Amino acid sequence: MATYNFKKQAEVYLVFAGSRYRLDVTEDLSFSQTFTDSTYAQKTIHEQHKMHETSNIKKANPANFEFTVPALTESDLDVVFNLLVDYKSGTNTLNTFDLYIKLPNDVYKLETCVITNGTFIIEKLENLRLSIQGQASKLTRGATLPTSGIVNRSASRTHQRVDYLSVSIDSTALTEGLYKCSVELQNEIEWTPYLTVNDALSVTNATTSMYPSNFTLKKRILSGSVGQYVQSNFNSDTQQWKTGVPIVIKAGESATVGFQFDLTNCTFTNRNNVDDVFTQSYDWKMNDNPTDLGSKIKFNNI
């Protein structure tokens, strides 16, 4: 009788710099890779009856993956945060890693992974989470999970609830009437062209197909939005825009534990929203391109 694999049974492992980490993937786990089919016509002067085009598959597209992890008071998942935010030492590019998805009777491997998008999910009185999207060079099935470099998880694993949320834009505190907040970091990458005539001649199946291996970090975008009820007891920026302003966001268990975004030189536009209760929405982005983004975005003991 056939045995099926269910996503709820999946265990996700991240391997970076010789160390293996077990991730607490709570939701949104997905991964896939496709191949490029460059078709060409078979119809010729002598063979007019060949109306269908034939396939010519030589290379694979970058694989895609997505998962969400909770923010923990412990440091178990700091590796994910660091891979999203920090540059590779001494360079202006990002670190790569491998992902393994272990099932009861199978193991999938994503090679040369890079994080392209990280969304900080901040909802009052809900657990603080980090949603990750990325790309990888190659997806294979039937891999072997490394047994060395295992990093043991903490005996106590405490999920951080957003009991404290504070926002300041242009030195004006927006905590009163605040009802939503989001922050997103986009790492825009471009894979180096990898289709060559010589390599294409050697392709006979999926194993010998050409897979991407190198990429360039083109730009980074740190942006977000803040929603607030329009009230009469504070200075409102409704229907305004400003540039070169500081933005400070703290979210987590307390003012000293959680995520902190301490940003300068930001731009925001603020628009009025008409509903049962009037609100205003700040949509902002950071204009700076710091080499030490990890000093602008801090995690846990702020």
Side-chain angles (χ1 to χ4, degrees):
M1 182 177 177
T3 302
Y4 296 91
N5 290 316
F6 296 93
K7 187 164 68 171
K8 65 180 181 180
Q9 298 174 301
E11 298 176 1
V12 181
Y13 295 87
L14 186 152
V15 177
F16 172 65
S19 298
R20 193 189 86 176
Y21 304 84
R22 168 80 181 275
L23 303 184
D24 286 345
V25 175
T26 57
E27 56 187 290
D28 299 330
L29 173 63
S30 66
F31 54 94
S32 65
Q33 186 170 30
T34 60
F35 295 91
T36 299
D37 186 358
S38 301
T39 61
Y40 63 90
Q42 300 182 81
K43 185 177 180 180
T44 65
I45 295 176
H46 301 290
E47 294 181 301
Q48 293 288 320
H49 63 283
K50 290 188 175 181
M51 307 300 293
H52 294 279
E53 294 185 336
T54 190
S55 295
N56 182 31
I57 302 175
K58 297 296 183 181
K59 70 172 186 175
N61 298 311
N64 296 299
F65 64 87
E66 180 178 357
F67 61 83
T68 298
V69 294
L72 301 176
T73 302
E74 297 77 23
S75 60
D76 294 49
L77 301 180
D78 287 7
V79 62
V80 178
F81 170 76
N82 293 333
L83 286 168
L84 166 66
V85 173
D86 293 337
Y87 282 128
K88 186 177 181 179
S89 179
T91 70
N92 286 328
T93 190
L94 301 172
N95 283 296
T96 60
F97 55 95
D98 294 334
L99 278 178
Y100 291 82
I101 296 86
K102 183 178 181 298
L103 298 157
N105 61 347
D106 217 342
V107 177
Y108 289 86
K109 179 184 180 182
L110 288 155
E111 301 177 28
T112 317
C113 300
V114 58
I115 297 176
T116 58
N117 187 284
T119 302
F120 300 85
I121 303 174
I122 303 170
E123 301 173 350
K124 273 191 173 181
L125 304 181
E126 297 289 340
N127 288 337
L128 193 61
R129 291 163 291 160
L130 181 58
S131 179
I132 295 295
Q133 296 179 1
Q135 293 185 331
S137 170
K138 187 177 182 180
L139 170 63
T140 55
R141 179 188 174 194
T144 301
L145 182 66
T147 56
S148 60
I150 298 174
V151 177
N152 293 322
R153 302 202 293 175
S154 302
S156 173
R157 302 173 65 72
T158 309
H159 291 209
Q160 289 195 37
R161 198 173 75 153
V162 185
D163 292 321
Y164 181 88
L165 179 58
S166 172
V167 178
S168 172
I169 297 180
D170 194 20
S171 302
T172 300
L174 304 181
T175 305
E176 186 176 358
L178 186 67
Y179 70 92
K180 73 173 183 179
C181 180
S182 67
V183 181
E184 182 177 14
L185 174 60
Q186 299 176 54
N187 296 318
E188 184 177 309
I189 68 167
E190 182 178 285
W191 290 90
T192 304
Y194 50 96
L195 180 63
T196 65
V197 174
N198 290 336
D199 288 341
L201 294 175
S202 302
V203 175
T204 57
N205 52 39
T207 302
T208 57
S209 296
M210 290 176 287
Y211 291 86
S213 58
N214 299 308
F215 63 87
T216 301
L217 179 62
K218 306 297 290 184
K219 65 179 179 180
R220 312 185 83 183
I221 302 172
L222 183 61
S223 60
S225 66
V226 177
Q228 185 189 34
Y229 294 107
V230 176
Q231 302 178 54
S232 59
N233 58 344
F234 61 89
N235 294 326
S236 173
D237 287 312
T238 305
Q239 295 303 119
Q240 296 287 339
W241 61 265
K242 291 182 181 180
T243 63
V245 302
I247 294 178
V248 179
I249 300 173
K250 292 184 179 182
E253 289 185 354
S254 66
T256 57
V257 177
F259 284 106
Q260 175 175 310
F261 306 85
D262 194 354
L263 313 175
T264 57
N265 190 19
C266 297
T267 295
F268 77 80
T269 60
N270 191 5
R271 67 181 187 278
N272 181 68
N273 295 317
V274 178
D275 209 331
D276 293 338
V277 179
F278 277 65
T279 62
Q280 57 183 355
S281 179
Y282 289 85
D283 297 309
W284 61 267
K285 65 180 291 290
M286 186 177 71
N287 298 319
D288 281 341
N289 186 28
T291 57
D292 58 340
L293 192 57
S295 68
K296 307 296 183 182
I297 306 175
K298 299 179 181 179
F299 180 41
N300 266 338
N301 297 320
I302 299 169

PDB file of all heavy atoms in Angstrom, residues 162-181:
ATOM      1  N   VAL A 162       2.744  40.011  20.811  1.00  0.00           N
ATOM      2  CA  VAL A 162       2.871  41.464  20.675  1.00  0.00           C
ATOM      3  C   VAL A 162       2.022  42.129  21.751  1.00  0.00           C
ATOM      4  O   VAL A 162       0.891  42.550  21.518  1.00  0.00           O
ATOM      5  CB  VAL A 162       2.449  41.933  19.267  1.00  0.00           C
ATOM      6  CG1 VAL A 162       2.704  43.439  19.111  1.00  0.00           C
ATOM      7  CG2 VAL A 162       3.217  41.177  18.194  1.00  0.00           C
ATOM      8  N   ASP A 163       2.593  42.198  22.959  1.00  0.00           N
ATOM      9  CA  ASP A 163       1.937  42.908  24.053  1.00  0.00           C
ATOM     10  C   ASP A 163       2.332  44.385  24.064  1.00  0.00           C
ATOM     11  O   ASP A 163       1.655  45.206  24.691  1.00  0.00           O
ATOM     12  CB  ASP A 163       2.304  42.269  25.400  1.00  0.00           C
ATOM     13  CG  ASP A 163       1.707  40.877  25.555  1.00  0.00           C
ATOM     14  OD1 ASP A 163       0.555  40.688  25.131  1.00  0.00           O
ATOM     15  OD2 ASP A 163       2.392  39.987  26.082  1.00  0.00           O
ATOM     16  N   TYR A 164       3.445  44.688  23.394  1.00  0.00           N
ATOM     17  CA  TYR A 164       3.931  46.075  23.351  1.00  0.00           C
ATOM     18  C   TYR A 164       4.131  46.481  21.896  1.00  0.00           C
ATOM     19  O   TYR A 164       4.816  45.790  21.138  1.00  0.00           O
ATOM     20  CB  TYR A 164       5.247  46.195  24.113  1.00  0.00           C
ATOM     21  CG  TYR A 164       5.809  47.606  24.130  1.00  0.00           C
ATOM     22  CD1 TYR A 164       5.444  48.511  25.122  1.00  0.00           C
ATOM     23  CD2 TYR A 164       6.693  48.033  23.143  1.00  0.00           C
ATOM     24  CE1 TYR A 164       5.954  49.800  25.131  1.00  0.00           C
ATOM     25  CE2 TYR A 164       7.202  49.324  23.144  1.00  0.00           C
ATOM     26  CZ  TYR A 164       6.830  50.197  24.144  1.00  0.00           C
ATOM     27  OH  TYR A 164       7.334  51.471  24.152  1.00  0.00           O
ATOM     28  N   LEU A 165       3.532  47.585  21.493  1.00  0.00           N
ATOM     29  CA  LEU A 165       3.680  48.105  20.136  1.00  0.00           C
ATOM     30  C   LEU A 165       3.772  49.615  20.202  1.00  0.00           C
ATOM     31  O   LEU A 165       2.856  50.279  20.688  1.00  0.00           O
ATOM     32  CB  LEU A 165       2.512  47.674  19.252  1.00  0.00           C
ATOM     33  CG  LEU A 165       2.521  48.176  17.794  1.00  0.00           C
ATOM     34  CD1 LEU A 165       3.784  47.736  17.081  1.00  0.00           C
ATOM     35  CD2 LEU A 165       1.290  47.693  17.044  1.00  0.00           C
ATOM     36  N   SER A 166       4.890  50.133  19.727  1.00  0.00           N
ATOM     37  CA  SER A 166       5.122  51.575  19.768  1.00  0.00           C
ATOM     38  C   SER A 166       5.649  52.034  18.412  1.00  0.00           C
ATOM     39  O   SER A 166       6.542  51.403  17.833  1.00  0.00           O
ATOM     40  CB  SER A 166       6.137  51.911  20.867  1.00  0.00           C
ATOM     41  OG  SER A 166       6.517  53.270  20.810  1.00  0.00           O
ATOM     42  N   VAL A 167       5.096  53.131  17.907  1.00  0.00           N
ATOM     43  CA  VAL A 167       5.512  53.683  16.615  1.00  0.00           C
ATOM     44  C   VAL A 167       5.713  55.185  16.751  1.00  0.00           C
ATOM     45  O   VAL A 167       4.877  55.886  17.331  1.00  0.00           O
ATOM     46  CB  VAL A 167       4.465  53.402  15.508  1.00  0.00           C
ATOM     47  CG1 VAL A 167       4.911  54.028  14.193  1.00  0.00           C
ATOM     48  CG2 VAL A 167       4.250  51.908  15.337  1.00  0.00           C
ATOM     49  N   SER A 168       6.813  55.657  16.191  1.00  0.00           N
ATOM     50  CA  SER A 168       7.083  57.096  16.151  1.00  0.00           C
ATOM     51  C   SER A 168       7.508  57.462  14.734  1.00  0.00           C
ATOM     52  O   SER A 168       8.419  56.848  14.179  1.00  0.00           O
ATOM     53  CB  SER A 168       8.198  57.469  17.137  1.00  0.00           C
ATOM     54  OG  SER A 168       8.592  58.816  16.972  1.00  0.00           O
ATOM     55  N   ILE A 169       6.814  58.433  14.141  1.00  0.00           N
ATOM     56  CA  ILE A 169       7.136  58.914  12.801  1.00  0.00           C
ATOM     57  C   ILE A 169       7.395  60.415  12.876  1.00  0.00           C
ATOM     58  O   ILE A 169       6.559  61.169  13.368  1.00  0.00           O
ATOM     59  CB  ILE A 169       5.999  58.625  11.808  1.00  0.00           C
ATOM     60  CG1 ILE A 169       5.795  57.105  11.660  1.00  0.00           C
ATOM     61  CG2 ILE A 169       6.296  59.242  10.440  1.00  0.00           C
ATOM     62  CD1 ILE A 169       4.704  56.708  10.696  1.00  0.00           C
ATOM     63  N   ASP A 170       8.564  60.816  12.416  1.00  0.00           N
ATOM     64  CA  ASP A 170       8.965  62.224  12.479  1.00  0.00           C
ATOM     65  C   ASP A 170       8.873  62.734  13.912  1.00  0.00           C
ATOM     66  O   ASP A 170       8.396  63.844  14.169  1.00  0.00           O
ATOM     67  CB  ASP A 170       8.106  63.069  11.540  1.00  0.00           C
ATOM     68  CG  ASP A 170       8.693  64.457  11.320  1.00  0.00           C
ATOM     69  OD1 ASP A 170       9.899  64.639  11.554  1.00  0.00           O
ATOM     70  OD2 ASP A 170       7.938  65.357  10.918  1.00  0.00           O
ATOM     71  N   SER A 171       9.325  61.883  14.863  1.00  0.00           N
ATOM     72  CA  SER A 171       9.373  62.198  16.296  1.00  0.00           C
ATOM     73  C   SER A 171       7.994  62.382  16.926  1.00  0.00           C
ATOM     74  O   SER A 171       7.881  62.899  18.033  1.00  0.00           O
ATOM     75  CB  SER A 171      10.230  63.452  16.543  1.00  0.00           C
ATOM     76  OG  SER A 171      11.547  63.273  16.050  1.00  0.00           O
ATOM     77  N   THR A 172       6.938  61.972  16.226  1.00  0.00           N
ATOM     78  CA  THR A 172       5.583  62.029  16.767  1.00  0.00           C
ATOM     79  C   THR A 172       5.116  60.621  17.108  1.00  0.00           C
ATOM     80  O   THR A 172       5.087  59.751  16.228  1.00  0.00           O
ATOM     81  CB  THR A 172       4.605  62.661  15.766  1.00  0.00           C
ATOM     82  OG1 THR A 172       5.025  64.001  15.462  1.00  0.00           O
ATOM     83  CG2 THR A 172       3.189  62.682  16.323  1.00  0.00           C
ATOM     84  N   ALA A 173       4.773  60.387  18.370  1.00  0.00           N
ATOM     85  CA  ALA A 173       4.328  59.069  18.804  1.00  0.00           C
ATOM     86  C   ALA A 173       2.930  58.784  18.271  1.00  0.00           C
ATOM     87  O   ALA A 173       2.027  59.607  18.402  1.00  0.00           O
ATOM     88  CB  ALA A 173       4.344  58.986  20.327  1.00  0.00           C
ATOM     89  N   LEU A 174       2.758  57.592  17.671  1.00  0.00           N
ATOM     90  CA  LEU A 174       1.464  57.219  17.100  1.00  0.00           C
ATOM     91  C   LEU A 174       0.822  56.068  17.868  1.00  0.00           C
ATOM     92  O   LEU A 174      -0.093  55.432  17.370  1.00  0.00           O
ATOM     93  CB  LEU A 174       1.624  56.808  15.632  1.00  0.00           C
ATOM     94  CG  LEU A 174       2.283  57.806  14.688  1.00  0.00           C
ATOM     95  CD1 LEU A 174       2.327  57.235  13.274  1.00  0.00           C
ATOM     96  CD2 LEU A 174       1.552  59.140  14.694  1.00  0.00           C
ATOM     97  N   THR A 175       1.309  55.784  19.051  1.00  0.00           N
ATOM     98  CA  THR A 175       0.838  54.625  19.799  1.00  0.00           C
ATOM     99  C   THR A 175      -0.661  54.704  20.077  1.00  0.00           C
ATOM    100  O   THR A 175      -1.385  53.714  19.968  1.00  0.00           O
ATOM    101  CB  THR A 175       1.611  54.502  21.126  1.00  0.00           C
ATOM    102  OG1 THR A 175       3.015  54.457  20.832  1.00  0.00           O
ATOM    103  CG2 THR A 175       1.206  53.236  21.865  1.00  0.00           C
ATOM    104  N   GLU A 176      -1.151  55.893  20.408  1.00  0.00           N
ATOM    105  CA  GLU A 176      -2.573  56.046  20.689  1.00  0.00           C
ATOM    106  C   GLU A 176      -3.373  55.913  19.392  1.00  0.00           C
ATOM    107  O   GLU A 176      -3.110  56.588  18.404  1.00  0.00           O
ATOM    108  CB  GLU A 176      -2.846  57.404  21.323  1.00  0.00           C
ATOM    109  CG  GLU A 176      -4.285  57.579  21.777  1.00  0.00           C
ATOM    110  CD  GLU A 176      -4.516  58.900  22.496  1.00  0.00           C
ATOM    111  OE1 GLU A 176      -3.527  59.653  22.663  1.00  0.00           O
ATOM    112  OE2 GLU A 176      -5.654  59.172  22.871  1.00  0.00           O
ATOM    113  N   GLY A 177      -4.347  55.013  19.394  1.00  0.00           N
ATOM    114  CA  GLY A 177      -5.171  54.811  18.215  1.00  0.00           C
ATOM    115  C   GLY A 177      -4.536  53.933  17.153  1.00  0.00           C
ATOM    116  O   GLY A 177      -5.096  53.759  16.070  1.00  0.00           O
ATOM    117  N   LEU A 178      -3.371  53.357  17.436  1.00  0.00           N
ATOM    118  CA  LEU A 178      -2.679  52.514  16.477  1.00  0.00           C
ATOM    119  C   LEU A 178      -3.398  51.168  16.356  1.00  0.00           C
ATOM    120  O   LEU A 178      -3.713  50.526  17.349  1.00  0.00           O
ATOM    121  CB  LEU A 178      -1.240  52.289  16.938  1.00  0.00           C
ATOM    122  CG  LEU A 178      -0.303  51.539  16.006  1.00  0.00           C
ATOM    123  CD1 LEU A 178      -0.028  52.358  14.766  1.00  0.00           C
ATOM    124  CD2 LEU A 178       1.001  51.231  16.726  1.00  0.00           C
ATOM    125  N   TYR A 179      -3.691  50.733  15.123  1.00  0.00           N
ATOM    126  CA  TYR A 179      -4.394  49.460  14.974  1.00  0.00           C
ATOM    127  C   TYR A 179      -3.690  48.475  14.034  1.00  0.00           C
ATOM    128  O   TYR A 179      -4.040  47.294  13.994  1.00  0.00           O
ATOM    129  CB  TYR A 179      -5.834  49.688  14.487  1.00  0.00           C
ATOM    130  CG  TYR A 179      -5.971  50.164  13.069  1.00  0.00           C
ATOM    131  CD1 TYR A 179      -6.123  49.266  12.016  1.00  0.00           C
ATOM    132  CD2 TYR A 179      -5.960  51.522  12.770  1.00  0.00           C
ATOM    133  CE1 TYR A 179      -6.254  49.702  10.706  1.00  0.00           C
ATOM    134  CE2 TYR A 179      -6.098  51.969  11.467  1.00  0.00           C
ATOM    135  CZ  TYR A 179      -6.247  51.051  10.445  1.00  0.00           C
ATOM    136  OH  TYR A 179      -6.359  51.492   9.148  1.00  0.00           O
ATOM    137  N   LYS A 180      -2.704  48.912  13.263  1.00  0.00           N
ATOM    138  CA  LYS A 180      -1.969  47.965  12.442  1.00  0.00           C
ATOM    139  C   LYS A 180      -0.574  48.499  12.144  1.00  0.00           C
ATOM    140  O   LYS A 180      -0.321  49.710  12.187  1.00  0.00           O
ATOM    141  CB  LYS A 180      -2.695  47.667  11.132  1.00  0.00           C
ATOM    142  CG  LYS A 180      -2.652  48.797  10.117  1.00  0.00           C
ATOM    143  CD  LYS A 180      -3.245  48.355   8.782  1.00  0.00           C
ATOM    144  CE  LYS A 180      -3.134  49.481   7.743  1.00  0.00           C
ATOM    145  NZ  LYS A 180      -3.676  49.067   6.432  1.00  0.00           N
ATOM    146  N   CYS A 181       0.333  47.572  11.849  1.00  0.00           N
ATOM    147  CA  CYS A 181       1.706  47.947  11.538  1.00  0.00           C
ATOM    148  C   CYS A 181       2.332  46.809  10.733  1.00  0.00           C
ATOM    149  O   CYS A 181       2.151  45.630  11.069  1.00  0.00           O
ATOM    150  CB  CYS A 181       2.491  48.183  12.828  1.00  0.00           C
ATOM    151  SG  CYS A 181       4.210  48.657  12.563  1.00  0.00           S
TER     152      CYS A 181
END
